[in-house]
C-alpha cells in the first residue's frame, strides 16, 4: 500500500472529495504491466455534480411529473423511468434519444462544462499504460480525450486487440444511437449479450484475468451489481477481487466481499496513480507537450518569417540551391514538435525511452537516404530526428532551447548569411549539381508534407 494524502483543509468544490487513501500495490503493479482495467460509470462524466446541477435521471423524472402529472418518486429505477418515458411520450424512443443528445450538446457548447465533464478522461489519457476501459456511459469522451477505439457489439470484439487503447461501451454509444441501452427491455437484452455472446465472453476474460477498478458508481447501483454477477459467473473462488473508487461513503458498509471500496474522487485517484508512476520512473511529466507546442510555434514563426523575407526566391535558389535543404530540415523539425503535441491524448511520449527508439529509427532512415543520394528526404528526416532529440534534451534538462534551423553538411547555423558563407567555403559539388536540377516553379516556395513520418 502507498499512502496518498488528499486535499487537507481544502473545501473547494473541485477538491473537497480528494480524500486521503491507500493505493493498493496490486493496482500499482498491474498498471506498470499494462494490465489495469478501468470500469467507469456515470459519476466520472456528465452525471457528475460538478458538471450540471441535476442528473439526466432527475431531468426525465421532473419532465414526466410536470408534463404528464405522473407523480413519480425516486424509488423508480433508471431503466424503469426510461421505459415509462418511452411508453408515455409520443414517439417516446425518438424523444428520449433527442433528450440525450440535447444534454450532450449543452455540455459540448460550453467549454467550462465540457472540461468538467472530461476531467477524468483527460487524466486517464496521461497514463498510456491504461489500455482497456469499460464503461456504461453513452458519451464519446474516452474516444475524444484518450483516442480509445470504441467496442460496441460482437463484430467489434473480433478486432478489439487491433487497437492500442480501446473502450468497451456496455450500454452503447451516442455515435450509434441504435445501440443505446436505456429502458428495462434494453437492459434485459444487454444482460443477455453479456451472458451468452462474444462481447460478454471477452469482458469476462478481461475482468477475470486483470486488475479491475470500478469508478463512478453509486452505492446500491442495480446495474453495477448485475454486471458484476454476470461477469463473475462460473469463476467461483477464482473470481477477481475488484476495487471501487467512489465518493459515496455508503460503500464503507459494503457487504460484497468481491469489492474493496476506496473513498476518494475518481480523477484524484487517477492523478495520484500517475504521480506514483512518475516517482518510480515509469512516466515522465507532461511538460514535454507544452514545450512541444511552444517549440512548434517558435520554429514555425521562424520558418515563415524567413521565407517571407526572401524577395526573389528563385534567384536566390539559382545561386544557392542548398537552401532547399534547410526548408526540408525546418519542415521536419516543425512536424516532430507538432506530432508530439497532437498525440498528447495517447500519452506515448510520456513513456521513458519512447523517444530514444524513434530517434534511432530516424537515424537509420537518414543514413539510408544519404547512401541513396535522396538528399531532400534525408534532410527532412534529419530535421524530424533533431526535433525528437530536442524533445529528449528538454526532458533531461528542462531547458526550452531550440537548435539553429539552418543546416548544411552536418552543421547548423543561426542565420542565412552564416549558412551561405559556409556553403561558399565548403560546397559539396555532387549535392550542388543534384539540387540545381530540381525544378521549382516561379513564385513557389517548396514545402515538405509529413507523408513519411
Amino acid at each position: 500500500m502507498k499512502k496518498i494524502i488528499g486535499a487537507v483543509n481544502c473545501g473547494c468544490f473541485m477538491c473537497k472529495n480528494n480524500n486521503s487513501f491507500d493505493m493498493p500495490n496490486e493496482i500499482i503493479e498491474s498498471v506498470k504491466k499494462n494490465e489495469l482495467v478501468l470500469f467507469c460509470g456515470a459519476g466520472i462524466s456528465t452525471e457528475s455534480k460538478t458538471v450540471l446541477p441535476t442528473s439526466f435521471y432527475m431531468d426525465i423524472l421532473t419532465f414526466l411529473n410536470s408534463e404528464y402529472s405522473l407523480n413519480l418518486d425516486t424509488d423508480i429505477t433508471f431503466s424503469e423511468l426510461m421505459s415509462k418515458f418511452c411508453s408515455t411520450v409520443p414517439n417516446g424512443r425518438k424523444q428520449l434519444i433527442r433528450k440525450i443528445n440535447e444534454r450532450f450538446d449543452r455540455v459540448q457548447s460550453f467549454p467550462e462544462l465540457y472540461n468538467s465533464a472530461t476531467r477524468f478522461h483527460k487524466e486517464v489519457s496521461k497514463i498510456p499504460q491504461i489500455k482497456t476501459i469499460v464503461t456504461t456511459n453513452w458519451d464519446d469522451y474516452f474516444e475524444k480525450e484518450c483516442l480509445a477505439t470504441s467496442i460496441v457489439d460482437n463484430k467489434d470484439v473480433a478486432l478489439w486487440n487491433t487497437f492500442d487503447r480501446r473502450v468497451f461501451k456496455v450500454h452503447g454509444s451516442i455515435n450509434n444511437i441504435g445501440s443505446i441501452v436505456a429502458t428495462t427491455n434494453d437492459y434485459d437484452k444487454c444482460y443477455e449479450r453479456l451472458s451468452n455472446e462474444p462481447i460478454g465472453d471477452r469482458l469476462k476474460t478481461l475482468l477475470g484475468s486483470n486488475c479491475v477498478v470500478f469508478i463512478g458508481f453509486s452505492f446500491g447501483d442495480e446495474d453495477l451489481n448485475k454486471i458484476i454477477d454476470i461477469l463473475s459467473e462460473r469463476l467461483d473462488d477464482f473470481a477477481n477481487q475488484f476495487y471501487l473508487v467512489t465518493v459515496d461513503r455508503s460503500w464503507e458498509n459494503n457487504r460484497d466481499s468481491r469489492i474493496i471500496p476506496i473513498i476518494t474522487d475518481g480523477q484524484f485517484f487517477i492523478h495520484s496513480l500517475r504521480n506514483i508512476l512518475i516517482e518510480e520512473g515509469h512516466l515522465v511529466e507532461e511538460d514535454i507537450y507544452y514545450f512541444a507546442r511552444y517549440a512548434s510555434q517558435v520554429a514555425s514563426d521562424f520558418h515563415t518569417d524567413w521565407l517571407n523575407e526572401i524577395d526573389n526566391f528563385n534567384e536566390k535558389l539559382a545561386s544557392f540551391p542548398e537552401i532547399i535543404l534547410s526548408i526540408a530540415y525546418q519542415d521536419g523539425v516543425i512536424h516532430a514538435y507538432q506530432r508530439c503535441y497532437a498525440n498528447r491524448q495517447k500519452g506515448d511520449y510520456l513513456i521513458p525511452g519512447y523517444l530514444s527508439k524513434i530517434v534511432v529509427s530516424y537515424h537509420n532512415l537518414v543514413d539510408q537516404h544519404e547512401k541513396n543520394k535522396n538528399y531532400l528526404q534525408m534532410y527532412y528526416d534529419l530535421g524530424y530526428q533533431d526535433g525528437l532529440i530536442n524533445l529528449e534534451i528538454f526532458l533531461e534538462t528542462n531547458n526550452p532551447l531550440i537548435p539553429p534551423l539552418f543546416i548544411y553538411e552536418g552543421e547548423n547555423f543561426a542565420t542565412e548569411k552564416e549558412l551561405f558563407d559556409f556553403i561558399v567555403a565548403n560546397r559539396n559539388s555532387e549535392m550542388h549539381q543534384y539540387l540545381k536540377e530540381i525544378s521549382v516553379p516561379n513564385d513557389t516556395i517548396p514545402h515538405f508534407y509529413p507523408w513519411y513520418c
Side-chain angles (χ1 to χ4, degrees), residues 14 30 46 62 64-65 72 83 92 128 134 188 190 206 222 224 234 267 273 368 373 394 403 420 430 433 439 441 448:
M14 299 301 291
S30 67
T46 56
T62 301
L64 290 176
N65 285 342
L72 300 170
S83 296
V134 185
D188 289 342
C190 172
L206 281 173
E222 179 185 25
L224 171 63
R234 297 197 302 270
Q267 187 268 343
L273 182 59
Q368 190 62 46
K373 296 182 171 49
F394 174 79
F420 289 168
E430 183 179 10
Q433 187 59 40
S439 176
F448 296 83

Side-chain angles (χ1 to χ4, degrees), residues 168-378:
F168 282 81
K169 313 296 285 284
V170 177
H171 287 173
S173 170
I174 191 62
N175 293 326
N176 181 354
I177 58 175
S179 70
I180 286 180
V181 173
T183 66
T184 302
N185 186 46
D186 295 335
Y187 274 74
D188 289 342
K189 290 179 179 178
C190 172
Y191 298 145
E192 178 67 22
R193 288 196 300 274
L194 293 180
S195 296
N196 302 310
E197 296 184 14
I199 191 167
D201 291 339
R202 174 56 64 186
L203 287 173
K204 288 173 188 175
T205 300
L206 281 173
L207 272 62
S209 58
N210 294 283
C211 179
V212 181
V213 177
F214 290 86
I215 305 180
F217 292 91
S218 300
F219 184 73
D221 189 303
E222 179 185 25
D223 185 42
L224 171 63
N225 294 333
K226 183 69 172 178
I227 288 174
I228 289 179
D229 288 342
I230 291 173
L231 298 179
S232 298
E233 65 183 1
R234 297 197 302 270
L235 294 177
D236 298 325
D237 294 338
F238 298 100
N240 259 7
Q241 184 78 68
F242 300 134
Y243 298 93
L244 186 138
V245 177
T246 179
V247 296
D248 187 349
R249 290 196 173 273
S250 300
W251 278 101
E252 291 177 324
N253 300 318
N254 167 56
R255 294 289 181 264
D256 190 335
S257 61
R258 296 171 300 181
I259 299 174
I260 298 176
I262 299 173
I263 310 300
T264 195
D265 177 74
Q267 187 268 343
F268 178 63
F269 173 85
I270 296 296
H271 179 78
S272 302
L273 182 59
R274 182 170 69 89
N275 283 342
I276 292 173
L277 294 176
I278 292 173
E279 290 170 9
E280 297 188 5
H282 295 276
L283 281 180
V284 300
E285 294 282 3
E286 61 180 320
D287 292 355
I288 186 174
Y289 295 131
Y290 306 124
F291 171 67
R293 179 173 58 180
Y294 159 79
S296 170
Q297 189 62 57
V298 171
S300 296
D301 289 347
F302 179 91
H303 181 73
T304 302
D305 291 345
W306 167 52
L307 294 176
N308 286 340
E309 289 172 0
I310 299 177
D311 294 329
N312 192 322
F313 179 79
N314 290 88
E315 287 183 10
K316 187 165 287 188
L317 187 64
S319 301
F320 291 98
E322 293 87 354
I323 63 172
I324 199 172
L325 300 176
S326 285
I327 294 175
Y329 177 83
Q330 290 171 20
D331 282 330
V333 170
I334 292 166
H335 292 155
Y337 296 144
Q338 289 177 341
R339 182 169 188 175
C340 174
Y341 184 71
N343 280 262
R344 64 194 181 281
Q345 292 149 309
K346 289 186 66 176
D348 291 345
Y349 288 76
L350 303 180
I351 300 175
Y354 176 79
L355 279 169
S356 298
K357 294 177 182 178
I358 305 178
V359 167
V360 169
S361 67
Y362 271 88
H363 179 76
N364 294 335
L365 282 174
V366 169
D367 285 348
Q368 190 62 46
H369 290 312
E370 185 173 24
K371 290 176 183 176
N372 296 335
K373 296 182 171 49
N374 186 0
Y375 297 118
L376 295 182
Q377 191 62 52
M378 168 191 165

